[in-house]
Amino acid sequence: MALIKILDSIYEHIDKGNYVISLYLDVQKAFDAVSHEILLNKLKYYGIRGIAWKWIENYLSNRKQYVYINNTTSDTYSIGYGVPQGSVLGPLLFLLYINDIQNFSNDNNVNINLFADDTNLILFDNNIDRLFENCNNQLELLYKWFQANKLSLNVDKCTYSLFGLPKKLNPNNTIIINSTEIKRNEEVKYLGVIIDEKLTWKEHIKYVILKITKFCSIFYKLRYLVPITVLRKIYFSLVHSHLIYGIEVYAKTHAKYINPLVKINNRILRILQNKPLDTPTQILYTNFNTLPIPKLYELHILLLMHKYYYNKWKLPAVFYNYFLENCNIHSCRTRQNALIHINSIETKIGFKTIKYNGGKLWNALPSNIRLHTGLYKFKCAVKDLLLLKMKA
């Protein structure tokens, strides 16, 4: 969901003619650097007081640590920083600690995205020089927030990418944090997905291919040792899981980039099912009750749309009003009144957004499938429909 939000934001700004800077910030020892004093003050500000506040204070206080090395033990010291990692409360307390980072700036051309300690900053402008100038100004404000909260950035690991540039244009502008220049990276791995500046997803697709290809030699041997039901479970555990992670953002790319991944997936299915080379791929997918990658993309987008319509509470709050329905545009009672309103697209890049594709795919579904309120029945009906299209 975090990736969908970030990539849709980049696509939309490029579609409107803006340049986009995506900053990836690395917080140094994030969980270990949380000040107990500041955290407890913030909890009071958020309304956690009385017994609950005292309980958390007691949970954090009187923690001690020492170092043991070569049969020698150091003195014991009290810890005034850090939330216990590996605990249930640890990540929650850290999120509460950094929650107000979103208030570091009131600039509408700046969006901050948080996923645990992974911090991403999106800045956009139709003037590239002004964009870099604003970026440096905003980073100065952000650096002050980090100082006030006794957190520090690992500047050497902070990078940025630049989107929306003509191929031949390579600006000489720089981005500085605390007198240190941030390096530009044309390919950044963020939340497990490799995002390239041209948004072709070639590098991420190569990364996924590398992940799943290594299992081929094992599968050749396994197919003679275990039954097909076990092989199917192995496929979903070791291969399918890699394919569907981030599929909503990487699979909407040119066929020449996605086809190598489609072919290796076909090959793996053929190996596991011990089928000859001339076996139709539709049989391979039907046997394992799964779909080719382009159809898997459609399925996962439609599952997101189903949650939006029937279970919004399962989505992050930012997605509650992510799509605009026709009934919100006009009050006329037409057959399309309950469908998604499709915004106009200025360039080809706009066709990659989830807002556009989600609306198009949802509107194209037969009404009897759209009316399935249960997620399981909806998923089965969509799968059957997509498999039927494969046969056609």
Side-chain angles (χ1 to χ4, degrees):
M1 304 307 294
L3 286 166
I4 287 173
K5 179 180 179 294
I6 291 167
L7 267 300
D8 258 22
S9 177
I10 293 172
Y11 286 139
E12 286 176 351
H13 291 311
I14 296 173
D15 186 57
K16 292 174 183 176
N18 291 319
Y19 301 109
V20 181
I21 288 176
S22 181
L23 269 160
Y24 307 95
L25 305 176
D26 186 81
V27 184
Q28 198 166 31
K29 296 182 178 180
F31 281 67
D32 294 328
V34 171
S35 165
H36 293 171
E37 181 184 357
I38 295 175
L39 173 61
L40 290 168
N41 286 332
K42 288 188 177 188
L43 292 177
K44 280 185 179 179
Y45 176 79
Y46 290 133
I48 300 172
R49 302 186 181 98
I51 294 174
W53 185 89
K54 288 180 180 178
W55 185 85
I56 295 174
E57 182 193 31
N58 182 268
Y59 176 71
L60 294 172
S61 62
N62 295 322
R63 291 183 176 270
K64 300 180 185 297
Q65 68 179 19
Y66 64 91
V67 176
Y68 176 82
I69 185 169
N70 293 335
N71 297 320
T72 303
T73 303
S74 70
D75 293 333
T76 301
Y77 290 93
S78 297
I79 306 171
Y81 291 83
V83 290
Q85 295 190 44
S87 64
V88 175
L89 270 181
L92 177 61
L93 292 174
F94 177 76
L95 290 175
L96 288 166
Y97 189 80
I98 65 165
N99 186 61
D100 60 328
I101 194 174
Q102 61 189 320
N103 301 323
F104 86 94
S105 172
N106 57 4
D107 191 325
N108 292 328
N109 286 8
V110 179
N111 298 322
I112 189 162
N113 304 288
L114 301 173
F115 193 89
D117 59 335
D118 287 306
T119 306
N120 168 258
L121 217 60
I122 299 287
L123 301 97
F124 55 93
D125 203 302
N126 57 13
N127 182 292
I128 196 160
D129 295 320
R130 191 169 57 215
L131 174 62
F132 273 88
E133 182 184 356
N134 186 39
C135 184
N136 283 308
N137 292 336
Q138 296 303 319
L139 283 178
E140 190 176 335
L141 295 174
L142 184 61
Y143 188 74
K144 288 178 181 177
W145 183 92
F146 275 98
Q147 284 184 313
N149 287 273
K150 297 185 179 181
L151 294 173
S152 58
L153 288 170
N154 190 342
V155 181
D156 292 334
K157 291 186 178 180
C158 293
T159 61
Y160 78 94
S161 297
L162 191 55
F163 301 94
L165 284 175
K167 292 181 181 178
K168 295 182 181 180
L169 182 58
N170 192 15
N172 297 318
N173 310 70
T174 56
I175 296 176
I176 308 292
I177 298 180
N178 191 30
S179 303
T180 305
E181 184 178 338
I182 300 299
K183 63 182 178 181
R184 178 179 169 187
N185 198 335
E186 294 183 5
E187 295 158 3
V188 176
K189 189 175 182 182
Y190 182 70
L191 300 181
V193 170
I194 300 172
I195 306 171
D196 62 281
E197 287 190 342
K198 295 180 181 178
L199 297 169
T200 61
W201 302 102
K202 285 193 296 184
E203 292 307 313
H204 180 71
I205 290 167
K206 287 179 185 177
Y207 171 72
V208 177
I209 289 173
L210 192 63
K211 281 272 189 180
I212 64 176
T213 305
K214 63 184 179 182
F215 297 117
C216 287
S217 58
I218 301 171
F219 292 158
Y220 271 115
K221 297 176 182 178
L222 277 178
R223 64 183 180 178
Y224 297 112
L225 300 174
V226 295
I228 192 68
T229 52
V230 176
L231 291 173
R232 183 178 178 274
K233 289 179 180 178
I234 290 171
Y235 169 79
F236 277 92
S237 298
L238 300 180
V239 178
H240 191 264
S241 57
H242 288 298
L243 298 179
I244 63 171
Y245 181 76
I247 195 169
E248 298 90 343
V249 296
Y250 82 78
K252 191 63 177 178
T253 186
H254 197 279
K256 68 180 179 181
Y257 301 133
I258 200 72
N259 278 344
L261 184 57
V262 173
K263 287 178 181 177
I264 191 65
N265 190 39
N266 292 346
R267 180 188 168 197
I268 288 171
L269 287 170
R270 192 172 284 111
I271 292 168
L272 287 169
Q273 297 177 36
N274 200 10
K275 297 290 184 182
L277 288 172
D278 59 352
T279 305
T281 54
Q282 183 258 323
I283 293 175
L284 299 175
Y285 286 97
T286 303
N287 288 346
F288 270 24
N289 191 27
T290 186
L291 296 164
I293 292 162
K295 298 298 179 185
L296 268 179
Y297 165 80
E298 294 184 22
L299 173 64
H300 282 265
I301 296 297
L302 287 169
L303 291 176
L304 171 64
M305 297 302 300
H306 187 272
K307 285 181 182 178
Y308 174 81
Y309 259 87
Y310 298 110
N311 294 288
K312 282 187 182 180
W313 58 274
K314 290 186 177 180
L315 297 173
V318 71
F319 287 94
Y320 286 177
N321 299 302
Y322 203 67
F323 301 94
L324 191 63
E325 296 167 51
N326 285 331
C327 60
N328 295 321
I329 303 295
H330 58 78
S331 57
C332 301
R333 291 189 176 183
T334 62
R335 284 179 295 179
Q336 287 79 32
N337 204 34
L339 299 181
I340 297 293
H341 175 73
I342 308 297
N343 291 322
S344 59
I345 301 298
E346 301 295 330
T347 63
K348 288 183 180 179
I349 200 76
F351 291 110
K352 291 187 175 184
T353 64
I354 301 297
K355 282 186 179 179
Y356 177 83
N357 288 293
K360 292 286 284 188
L361 289 170
W362 182 262
N363 292 350
L365 276 181
S367 57
N368 62 314
I369 295 180
R370 282 200 309 269
L371 293 173
H372 280 304
T373 56
L375 184 62
Y376 178 76
K377 285 188 176 180
F378 176 80
K379 184 178 181 179
C380 291
V382 171
K383 254 190 175 182
D384 291 341
L385 179 66
L386 294 173
L387 282 169
L388 194 64
K389 287 182 179 179
M390 283 181 63
K391 294 178 184 177

